[in-house]
């Protein structure tokens, strides 16, 4: 029914066999994933800051940058320097979605600080969308 496997697996399944590719733990993989989500949220936050400067966004961006730096072992994230191309509502929607993804990963790795930060950002962006969403319906 199935074609037999004729080549050696790229994954080492035999005891005592070593392979040439690096192995990461689940924790390391989740750190990488969480840093990516928070880094993307930071980029959208920087876009919002360029479009609508606000102290709250500045504070959120600094907290996000610190968290990404921690997760990346001291390597700071690249920051946005260009103004936003999207409208504010789209940026808030994108930020809310990214914060939600970060929250899921932070919860799965039991990272309380990152989970709290992500949940706070979800609330901020949901609140920013509320009046606009209601006005558009």
């Amino acid at each position: 029914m199935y074609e037999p496997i004729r080549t050696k697996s790229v994954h080492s399944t035999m005891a005592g066999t070593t392979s040439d590719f690096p192995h990461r733990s689940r924790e390391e993989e989740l750190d990488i994933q969480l840093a990516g989500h928070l880094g993307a949220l930071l980029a959208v936050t920087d876009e919002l800051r360029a479009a609508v400067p606000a102290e709250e966004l500045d504070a959120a961006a600094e907290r996000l940058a610190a968290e990404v730096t921690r997760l990346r072992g001291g390597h700071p994230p690249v920051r946005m320097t260009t103004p936003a191309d999207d409208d504010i509502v789209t940026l808030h929607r994108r930020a809310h979605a990214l914060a939600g993804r970060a929250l899921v990963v932070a919860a799965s790795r039991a990272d309380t600080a990152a989970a709290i930060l992500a949940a706070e950002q979800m609330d901020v962006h949901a609140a920013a969308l509320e009046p606009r969403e209601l006005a558009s319906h």
Side-chain angles (χ1 to χ4, degrees), residues 98-123:
L98 288 165
R101 290 182 191 132
L103 178 58
V104 169
V105 177
S108 70
R109 68 178 295 278
D111 187 332
T112 306
I116 290 170
L117 178 59
E120 288 173 355
Q121 291 307 299
M122 283 185 73
D123 290 344

Side-chain angles (χ1 to χ4, degrees), residues 6 18 35 52 59-60 98 119 122 124 126:
R6 294 187 179 140
T18 60
V52 184
L98 288 165
M122 283 185 73
V124 165

Side-chain angles (χ1 to χ4, degrees), residues 3-73:
E3 181 74 21
I5 298 172
R6 294 187 179 140
T7 60
K8 186 177 178 183
S9 172
V10 295
H11 303 288
S12 176
T13 56
M14 305 289 273
T17 316
T18 60
S19 62
D20 293 337
F21 63 95
H23 292 280
R24 290 189 285 252
S25 69
R26 181 175 187 277
E27 178 93 7
E28 291 170 322
E29 289 292 337
L30 288 173
D31 282 350
I32 291 166
Q33 190 176 21
L34 182 57
H37 289 314
L38 291 176
L41 178 57
L42 174 60
V44 174
T45 302
D46 281 342
E47 286 185 73
L48 280 166
R49 289 174 56 224
V52 184
E55 287 183 28
E56 297 83 22
L57 290 173
D58 293 342
E62 292 309 312
R63 287 179 63 203
L64 287 165
E67 198 64 27
V68 172
T69 301
R70 178 184 70 84
L71 290 165
R72 290 184 176 167

Side-chain angles (χ1 to χ4, degrees), residues 83-107:
D85 290 334
D86 294 325
D87 66 304
I88 302 302
V89 172
T90 302
L91 290 172
H92 280 295
R93 283 185 188 139
R94 189 179 309 146
H96 185 269
L98 288 165
R101 290 182 191 132
L103 178 58
V104 169
V105 177

